[in-house]
Amino acid sequence: MTSSEVWNRATADRYDAEEAENSSAAVLGPALSFLAGLAGSGRALEFAIGTGRVGVPLRERGVPVVGIELSEPMAEVLRGKVDEETPPVVIGDMATTVVPGEFTLVYLVYNTISNLLTQDEQVECFRNAARHLGPGGRFVIELGVPPLRSLPPGQVAVPFDVSERHLGFDTFDLVEQVLVSHHFTRDGEDGRYRRGNSRHRYAWPAELDLMARIAGLELERRVADWDGAPFTQDSGKHISVWRKPV
């Protein structure tokens, strides 16, 4: 067991509804095309597959997808979706759990590597990805760039969503390199808000490159989004691809 917080039944049951916009074809299409292109005719392994937001439609595109998921309730939601088309899921943590076979692609999207709260565990995640890849295989991570440029002296919080139904902001511990995402979500129409938070360890692209080198992987490509826009100093996130040497 890693330091990741385990998502419970209540969170799993409402996850798909809360992520409906991010699960739309318009949003997912570029990511699926990007990943399918890297997988080619081989198999793909998704770390932290969750309810299958990415893995299920990627499998529908013809890519054999296997998943690792720490939360049993999240995996149960996935298994209840599409019967025989459901990707096989192994319950375990993405830093140490091993599944049988060799893969051309291992991917970890939606900031999920930050769920591992120590640098050592994040390094082990890279090593685990390399362990599953065949020669020439790729490891892909989607991760936000820490918005520390938005912090004036003495401030520790940055808002990331202020909308009618949701208020979200991150608070930062700059010494421990940990952020806490705080969420206030309106439930129903009676004006009540549900409060939640989650802890994450943020990492810079250069730090991830060093983790990849430790795992025997080489940076192949880094872009700002799934459409392949150039990554710049103003990019809010990155899609990074590391390759296992042949």
Side-chain angles (χ1 to χ4, degrees):
M1 179 69 68
T2 68
S3 60
S4 297
E5 297 172 350
V6 182
W7 290 29
N8 60 24
R9 168 61 60 188
T11 302
D13 287 344
R14 62 175 175 258
Y15 181 82
D16 284 347
E18 293 183 346
E19 293 296 331
E21 182 178 349
N22 288 322
S23 302
S24 67
V27 173
L28 273 185
L32 298 175
S33 296
F34 191 106
L35 295 171
L38 291 178
S41 59
R43 303 165 70 220
L45 173 63
E46 181 172 357
F47 284 176
I49 194 171
T51 64
R53 183 182 69 92
V54 176
V56 169
L58 185 60
R59 190 176 178 89
E60 292 171 350
R61 290 200 177 199
V63 179
V65 177
V66 179
I68 294 174
E69 173 55 45
L70 184 61
S71 168
E72 179 68 45
M74 294 286 280
E76 288 177 2
V77 173
L78 185 156
R79 292 181 180 125
K81 283 183 176 179
V82 285
D83 298 324
E84 70 275 4
E85 293 299 319
T86 303
V89 181
V90 176
I91 301 299
D93 70 81
M94 57 189 168
T96 63
T97 301
V98 177
V99 301
E102 190 172 85
F103 299 85
T104 59
L105 173 68
V106 177
Y107 64 95
L108 180 54
V109 299
Y110 212 29
N111 301 320
T112 314
I113 192 171
S114 69
N115 290 359
L116 298 171
L117 298 178
T118 71
Q119 186 183 69
D120 286 344
E121 289 173 349
Q122 291 179 351
V123 168
E124 288 306 311
C125 182
F126 272 82
R127 284 178 166 154
N128 200 28
R131 182 181 300 123
H132 286 90
L133 289 172
R138 275 93 168 193
F139 182 34
V140 176
I141 284 181
E142 175 189 25
L143 184 62
V145 177
L148 301 189
R149 293 169 63 187
S150 301
L151 285 175
Q155 182 174 314
V156 297
V158 174
F160 60 84
D161 184 33
V162 179
S163 59
E164 183 179 353
R165 304 196 68 87
H166 178 255
L167 302 174
F169 61 92
D170 292 331
T171 55
F172 292 84
D173 182 332
L174 303 182
V175 174
E176 297 298 327
Q177 211 164 305
V178 169
L179 69 86
V180 180
S181 286
H182 303 265
H183 302 267
F184 295 85
T185 306
R186 193 169 76 180
D187 282 334
E189 301 301 330
D190 59 2
R192 291 183 300 174
Y193 279 78
R194 169 173 40 85
R195 179 178 181 176
N197 60 69
S198 58
R199 299 176 67 232
H200 306 268
R201 182 186 186 272
Y202 62 86
W204 301 97
E207 185 180 5
L208 299 182
D209 290 343
L210 183 56
M211 294 181 189
R213 186 181 303 177
I214 292 171
L217 304 175
E218 302 170 347
L219 180 66
E220 181 177 75
R221 185 183 183 196
R222 175 167 291 128
V223 291
D225 57 34
W226 295 110
D227 289 312
F231 179 74
T232 72
Q233 64 179 4
D234 295 318
S235 299
K237 73 173 185 179
H238 61 96
I239 315 295
S240 295
V241 182
W242 297 273
R243 185 171 182 266
K244 186 172 184 176
V246 176

